Amino acid sequence: MSESTDTLKVENLELAYRVRGRDLKVLHRVSLCIRRGESYGLVGESGSGKSTLALALVRYLPPNGRMLAGSILIGGRELLALDPGQLRELRATTVSMVYQDPARALNPSMRIGEQIAEIFRARGENAAAARSAAGILLERVRIGDREAVLERYPHQLSGGMQQRVVIAMALAINPALLILDEPTTSLDATVEVEILDLLGELRRELSTSILFISHNLALVARMCDRVGVLYAGTLVEEGAALEVLRDPRHPYTVGLLRCLPRRGRTKNHSRLDTIAGFPPAPGDVLAGCVFAPRCGLADDKCRTCAPALRAFGARCSRCHYLERAQSLPRTTADELPTGLRIDREEPPLLQAKSLSKTFRSERSALRALHDVSLSLWPGETLGLVGESGSGKTTLARLLVGLSAPDAGGVLEMAGQTLAGRSEAREPEQLQALQIIFQNPDGALNRSHTVRQLIERVLVRLGRLPRSRRAARMLELLRSVRVDERYLDVRPRELSGGLKQRVAIARAFAGAPRIVVCDEPTAALDVSVQAAILNLLTELQARHRVSYVFISHDLGSVRYLSDRIAVLYLGRLLEIGPAERVFSGPHHPYTAALLSAVPRLEGAAQPHRLQGEIPSAIHTPRGCVFHTRCPRKLGPVCEQTEPPLLAGAEPGHEIRCHIPAAELQDRDA
Amino acid sequence: MSRHWQLLLRSGAFVSGMLIILFWAACALFGRLFAPFDPFAADVLSTLTPPSAAHWFGTDQLGRDVLSRVIVGSRDVLEVAPLATALGLVLGVLLGLTTGYFRGLIDEAVSRVIDAVLALPLVIIALLALSALGASSATVIVVVGFIFTPLIARTVRAAVLAERALDYVAAAQLRNEPTLRILLGEILPNIMPPILVEATVRLGYAIFAVASLSFLGFGIQPPSPDWGLAVSESYGLINGGIWWPALFNTLAISSLIVAVNLAAEGIQATADA
């Protein structure tokens, strides 16, 4: 393979951030190359250095970032040798970058048309030519109503549409190299799948090389020819995408893949495996392999002698024992949790009857939740699934009493009516119903220590004599596996996973019977996510607590839930036993959601949704889903809202005019 | 906290500001011990003598040594201005916390009143209030403190609004935490940085306001060697070529205000870090 066919060639790149007079190394001798037209996926957890690498490739590093050694060749030119003028020219003609958040990549005060035309005007084209070129670009990213979109401002477009525009702008220069840094992470699943489809098509049409950066292994498997796995600034494994993911040869890749809840496996089958310990901090110097401290296969050789990247076939792995990487022992024991038990003969613990929530402003009313009824049995997990704007979080806040439902809605716990607002609820009711918030950074008071955070709950809700509080606190910390030495530490000094564990300990401090979990793992890496899901299962088994588990990640919902409710625009579209909701018959929306999830096992044929999620201020008449439904029957869907009809078994209900039997046919 | 102190001590603005403030504080406390003359001793034989080897800053119309009076003159302003700021701070923080936390009607009403107060020139309201209440150090403290209250409340309210939206406040509500405890125990510690910055900025204004009021005759009363008062007694003499009493007292006032602002700048920079 000659040099000239490589669009990007990075060799032995060493990079450091200078912090308080010390160089903290974040990339260690990273080498990779991307051939023309090839799509290369770079996978790694937060802190692995993947975004730093992307920034280095366009020399957009922050002022304290320094390249210590190595070379970066783009199209055969040495990036590090370019002067500012040449660098500008390179960015204007050869390399484009698409960032995670499209809303921040677009100038909010400029119309889309002007923003795109700017690129062409910078090249000296006149206004009219630039404008028509902008229109053609939008056509390339499959935007239908081009003239209207050109006239809009970024905030008038949905997230998916914004990201299309950003991609269009990145393509404007016909780049030889397109860098995509988590391009779909901030988008909903059904929008994500559209963007990925688009990128897949563009890849086939253009000869652009793509560097695709993501934390999502399944996504990378779908999008890329080859992948590199980055761990603590070191490239630990590289090879053809499907081979690496199906037959990983580095213990880190093996461990990472095991953290993902596998299809069809739930808390009743097995515990998730995790990766023990923490990644090394930037600047830590390890004598041996970077992964050795966390690796179940590591021996003295691994701890003292850093392995080189060993090639086998077209792949390579940085492991002394790559042949037996897959025999990596499990970190968590595979024993079945005992004590998970649901008795449907018992009366439900929590019942919500026709809960609605309307947020009124002077001019409009936003119906965040409409007529939702559901029950929760002791020891059960009810999964709540839906895209942003579906009302998941609104429902969570209604349940715990952070906002009151509209008149007519009733909440009952253990047969007693719950007041709408938490301050009107009995102390025992507050104690029995707690919540774990999505973002532990906001949910833990940053000026309190771990001890203070938990002690307050013990004082307010624990009803324990002072003498027993200290013992109870240690017991709580042990049950969430937080070491005692963190007691007097403030949240800032804890890792994301530890913070969420403290938040869980706090939620359990009052010995609740129901815990609402609002996306508790959304902000966490996969390996940490697996540990948190295990912990929640363990606590459920031990205390027979019920969960309302909210997540947009269907994998974790499937793993943890006994029953699942699907929400769309504040309406309950489907509810039923978890395996039934996943196996069908599905509501057409559920079917679309399920097929939008990229899978390691290979893609199912996706049901694509048309159009955008309508606004909750102007909810569609009839069935709320009719504007995007691939199986719309006709006027009946536009005029009459379907009732929740019995599905395939008792307790399974689908809000659709199409009978369950027919829905099943189509799925099969 | 120690990290913040380290950052502060590395800030040139903060350190130089604090050194000047400490110098004037030392003058206020121990000035009588090292002032070259008795600041209150009149000497009718040597009135209005220009600066000389004996009287570095000259003498005033009663023949009192200007240098000695400048040294001791920091005492009243360094007592009145911090107390006025403290009063404004306590009231402003309480008002800001309640309006920001409860929102609603009270917030609307209080915010409109604050807007109205902010539209009026500070010194004019102070003059009106002081002429009604009578001028003394105590009334100056109360009046300046009350005038500062809405200004501080507005800053605090904005900070509270941001904090209130965070889930730790929701978590406190869900364990039935008393409202006072949520305000003082949960939210207040997190908004200390902006409050601290506001306090130092206000202290600078307070020194200026107290000096202005003394100058206008509504503040600190004779025979105090207060700087503002001294300027008011001597500014008429400038036309007659007698510049020294007015100049040295004015310089003293400015040095203190600049010092407080330097310290405020240092605190702001570290609070943002």
Side-chain angles (χ1 to χ4, degrees):
Chain A
M1 193 179 324
S2 77
E3 285 253 317
S4 61
T5 60
D6 293 335
T7 308
L8 173 73
K9 196 169 175 68
V10 177
E11 270 182 355
N12 290 329
L13 184 65
E14 300 239 338
L15 204 144
Y17 285 120
R18 197 165 182 84
V19 178
R20 299 212 181 123
R22 266 183 58 197
D23 277 337
L24 304 181
K25 259 200 205 171
V26 285
L27 289 180
H28 303 270
R29 301 176 68 82
V30 171
S31 301
L32 56 89
C33 77
I34 304 179
R35 285 169 226 133
R36 202 153 59 139
E38 185 183 46
S39 160
Y40 185 99
L42 195 62
V43 188
E45 295 187 281
S46 49
S48 61
K50 54 192 194 304
S51 290
T52 298
L53 179 59
L55 291 174
L57 295 183
V58 274
R59 283 189 47 193
Y60 275 145
L61 282 176
N64 66 338
R66 315 183 178 191
M67 293 191 210
L68 303 177
S71 81
I72 300 173
L73 294 170
I74 293 182
R77 288 162 84 190
E78 175 56 58
L79 184 70
L80 304 180
L82 299 183
D83 63 38
Q86 291 168 318
L87 199 58
R88 259 183 60 148
E89 188 225 311
L90 178 92
R91 289 177 189 150
T93 58
T94 318
V95 188
S96 289
M97 192 152 172
V98 172
Y99 300 92
Q100 180 170 341
D101 185 356
R104 287 169 60 186
L106 294 169
N107 182 341
S109 63
M110 262 173 109
R111 291 177 200 277
I112 299 295
E114 295 165 46
Q115 295 198 38
I116 305 180
E118 220 181 23
I119 305 170
F120 296 102
R121 293 244 294 283
R123 288 200 200 156
E125 291 180 33
N126 67 35
R131 174 89 182 179
S132 71
I136 293 168
L137 264 187
L138 290 190
E139 195 178 346
R140 261 165 87 184
V141 292
R142 321 284 188 275
I143 290 181
D145 193 6
R146 286 188 292 283
E147 285 309 309
V149 170
L150 285 173
E151 284 306 311
R152 291 208 189 125
Y153 287 98
H155 72 270
Q156 294 169 312
L157 301 177
S158 67
M161 205 63 127
Q162 287 174 349
Q163 195 62 299
R164 276 166 199 266
V165 171
V166 173
I167 292 171
M169 291 170 71
L171 293 176
I173 60 168
N174 268 324
L177 176 65
L178 178 62
I179 301 170
L180 301 161
D181 189 359
E182 306 257 7
T184 58
T185 306
S186 62
L187 306 174
D188 272 319
T190 57
V191 183
E192 170 175 71
V193 76
E194 282 178 55
I195 296 289
L196 294 177
D197 283 350
L198 170 69
L199 288 171
E201 286 169 39
L202 291 173
R203 224 182 97 194
R204 282 189 287 277
E205 288 168 25
L206 312 167
S207 60
T208 300
S209 305
I210 293 177
L211 176 63
F212 190 97
I213 296 174
S214 179
H215 66 280
N216 188 330
L217 298 161
L219 247 181
V220 167
R222 225 198 104 181
M223 287 303 298
C224 301
D225 306 314
R226 286 195 305 141
V227 293
V229 180
L230 204 59
Y231 175 77
T234 310
L235 199 65
V236 292
E237 181 164 8
E238 190 182 57
L242 288 176
E243 279 179 45
V244 170
L245 297 174
R246 287 193 183 140
D247 177 28
R249 287 303 176 87
H250 189 281
Y252 175 63
T253 323
V254 175
L256 208 53
L257 286 164
R258 283 199 199 153
C259 291
L260 296 170
R262 245 172 313 153
R263 219 180 151 190
R265 307 292 280 179
T266 71
K267 62 181 177 183
N268 295 311
H269 294 107
S270 64
R271 281 152 49 101
L272 293 169
D273 202 5
T274 57
I275 301 177
F278 300 99
D284 282 2
V285 181
L286 295 172
C289 166
V290 275
F291 190 60
R294 306 177 72 188
C295 179
L297 291 172
D299 58 16
D300 285 341
K301 184 179 177 194
C302 301
R303 280 183 279 269
T304 50
C305 160
L309 208 54
R310 280 170 62 198
F312 60 103
R315 300 173 53 185
C316 48
S317 165
R318 198 181 287 278
C319 179
H320 290 307
Y321 303 115
L322 58 89
E323 296 79 10
R324 56 187 179 94
Q326 289 188 359
S327 63
L328 179 77
R330 282 184 64 102
T331 307
T332 54
D334 193 18
E335 92 274 10
L336 285 177
T338 52
L340 291 171
R341 180 171 60 80
I342 305 156
D343 184 358
R344 304 262 174 224
E345 301 294 303
E346 281 181 72
L349 183 53
L350 183 76
Q351 277 192 294
K353 293 174 193 159
S354 60
L355 286 187
S356 300
K357 180 71 188 175
T358 314
F359 294 104
R360 290 179 197 287
S361 69
E362 277 163 27
R363 275 171 300 157
S364 59
L366 187 150
R367 312 188 76 172
L369 205 64
H370 182 73
D371 194 18
V372 170
S373 302
L374 36 85
S375 310
L376 185 68
W377 272 268
E380 176 189 51
T381 303
L382 174 68
L384 279 185
V385 176
E387 294 174 279
S388 47
S390 63
K392 306 188 295 283
T393 295
T394 305
L395 181 55
R397 294 178 75 86
L398 287 186
L399 292 180
V400 295
L402 285 172
S403 60
D406 295 348
V410 180
L411 259 179
E412 278 178 10
M413 184 163 61
Q416 287 179 311
T417 309
L418 281 176
R421 300 273 321 183
S422 62
E423 55 260 37
R425 293 184 181 176
E426 301 296 325
E428 300 77 45
Q429 294 176 332
L430 283 178
Q431 172 249 315
L433 182 49
Q434 282 293 320
I435 184 168
I436 300 167
F437 294 98
Q438 171 171 358
N439 183 354
D441 287 318
L444 300 179
N445 192 330
R446 59 189 182 278
S447 55
H448 291 182
T449 60
V450 170
R451 182 194 301 276
Q452 291 169 314
L453 286 166
I454 294 173
E455 195 162 47
R456 268 327 277 174
V457 190
L458 292 177
V459 172
R460 300 296 309 171
L461 300 177
R463 288 177 298 176
L464 282 178
R466 188 179 294 270
S467 56
R468 290 197 42 213
R469 272 183 216 146
R472 171 82 178 129
M473 174 135 44
L474 292 180
E475 184 193 324
L476 273 168
L477 283 185
R478 262 198 302 279
S479 72
V480 297
R481 308 238 161 69
V482 173
D483 199 280
E484 261 176 61
R485 70 194 150 103
Y486 292 114
L487 264 178
D488 293 302
V489 156
R490 288 191 171 71
R492 184 181 62 225
E493 297 161 60
L494 300 175
S495 69
L498 272 174
K499 274 184 234 175
Q500 198 56 291
R501 281 167 194 271
V502 171
I504 293 172
R506 183 177 65 176
F508 276 88
R513 301 175 69 189
I514 303 170
V515 176
V516 177
C517 311
D518 187 3
E519 306 242 17
T521 59
L524 307 174
D525 277 321
V526 256
S527 59
V528 185
Q529 169 185 310
I532 296 289
L533 293 179
N534 279 342
L535 175 63
L536 288 173
T537 309
E538 206 178 298
L539 290 168
Q540 181 165 53
R542 194 180 312 154
H543 304 291
R544 207 160 174 252
V545 62
S546 308
Y547 292 133
V548 175
F549 184 79
I550 298 175
S551 180
H552 65 273
D553 174 32
L554 292 178
S556 20
V557 171
R558 174 82 173 112
Y559 178 77
L560 212 60
S561 304
D562 301 295
R563 285 190 307 135
I564 290 175
V566 181
L567 288 172
Y568 179 78
L569 275 180
R571 307 305 196 276
L572 195 61
L573 292 190
E574 180 169 354
I575 185 166
E579 61 275 24
R580 184 51 72 188
V581 171
F582 272 84
S583 64
H586 308 292
H587 188 283
Y589 175 64
T590 314
L593 265 188
L594 290 174
S595 71
V597 181
R599 294 209 181 88
L600 289 171
E601 294 88 349
Q605 197 44 53
H607 299 231
R608 295 289 183 262
L609 291 185
Q610 300 301 309
E612 321 232 315
I613 304 178
S615 121
I617 297 173
H618 308 285
T619 15
R621 281 167 52 85
C623 174
V624 281
F625 188 55
H626 82 78
T627 55
R628 301 172 76 198
C629 184
R631 303 191 61 184
K632 192 170 124 184
L633 295 172
V636 62
C637 294
E638 290 166 23
Q639 282 149 16
T640 327
E641 168 144 45
L644 269 172
L645 292 175
E649 60 179 272
H652 182 216
E653 292 176 307
I654 300 176
R655 190 186 293 282
C656 186
H657 288 298
I658 307 172
E662 267 180 61
L663 286 168
Q664 178 74 69
D665 292 347
R666 183 67 170 273
D667 289 330
Chain B
M1 204 61 214
S2 64
R3 195 180 69 96
H4 278 279
W5 278 112
Q6 279 178 13
L7 282 174
L8 271 179
L9 291 180
R10 245 186 266 160
S11 146
F14 179 79
V15 172
S16 46
M18 277 316 281
L19 284 178
I20 302 175
I21 295 171
L22 287 176
F23 167 74
W24 285 121
C27 289
L29 290 170
F30 313 113
R32 294 294 290 269
L33 301 179
F34 57 82
F37 293 88
D38 178 355
F40 298 98
D43 180 0
V44 281
L45 296 178
S46 55
T47 57
L48 299 175
T49 54
S52 65
H55 298 283
W56 290 0
F57 288 4
T59 60
D60 66 4
Q61 53 270 61
L62 294 179
R64 296 172 297 196
D65 180 45
V66 174
L67 173 62
S68 303
R69 285 183 73 79
V70 166
I71 289 174
V72 183
S74 62
R75 207 187 56 213
D76 284 306
V77 73
L78 278 183
E79 202 175 279
V80 172
L83 282 175
T85 311
L87 178 67
L89 210 56
V90 170
L91 296 176
V93 167
L94 289 178
L95 194 64
L97 276 171
T98 35
T99 51
Y101 184 74
F102 290 108
R103 311 287 310 274
L105 222 61
I106 314 171
D107 183 32
E108 282 295 319
V110 172
S111 296
R112 292 298 86 77
V113 172
I114 290 178
D115 290 343
V117 172
L118 293 182
L120 297 169
L122 197 151
V123 175
I124 305 288
I125 328 174
L127 283 181
L128 287 173
L130 285 171
S131 52
L133 295 171
S136 73
S137 291
T139 46
V140 170
I141 292 172
V142 172
V143 167
V144 174
F146 270 103
I147 289 173
F148 279 181
T149 301
L151 294 159
I152 295 169
R154 199 173 56 163
T155 307
V156 174
R157 175 179 171 273
V160 173
L161 284 181
E163 290 299 317
R164 209 195 112 89
L166 296 177
D167 285 332
Y168 73 82
V169 178
Q173 288 168 349
L174 289 183
R175 58 172 185 262
N176 216 4
E177 204 72 81
T179 307
L180 199 65
R181 172 111 196 174
I182 296 183
L183 291 178
L184 302 181
E186 299 280 333
I187 296 179
L188 186 60
N190 291 323
I191 57 171
M192 280 319 282
I195 291 179
L196 214 64
V197 171
E198 180 73 13
T200 35
V201 171
R202 285 296 142 217
L203 181 62
Y205 279 105
I207 292 166
F208 185 75
V210 170
S212 306
L213 290 172
S214 303
F215 174 80
L216 294 170
F218 285 86
I220 294 151
Q221 299 298 316
S224 165
D226 179 69
W227 299 330
L229 195 59
V231 176
S232 101
E233 284 164 355
S234 55
Y235 79 102
L237 305 170
I238 296 175
N239 282 339
I242 300 160
W243 48 268
W244 51 94
L247 177 74
F248 291 115
N249 280 293
T250 314
L251 283 179
I253 297 174
S254 357
S255 74
L256 187 56
I257 294 176
V258 167
V260 171
N261 285 332
L262 280 173
E265 197 183 302
I267 291 174
Q268 177 135 38
T270 49
D272 292 344

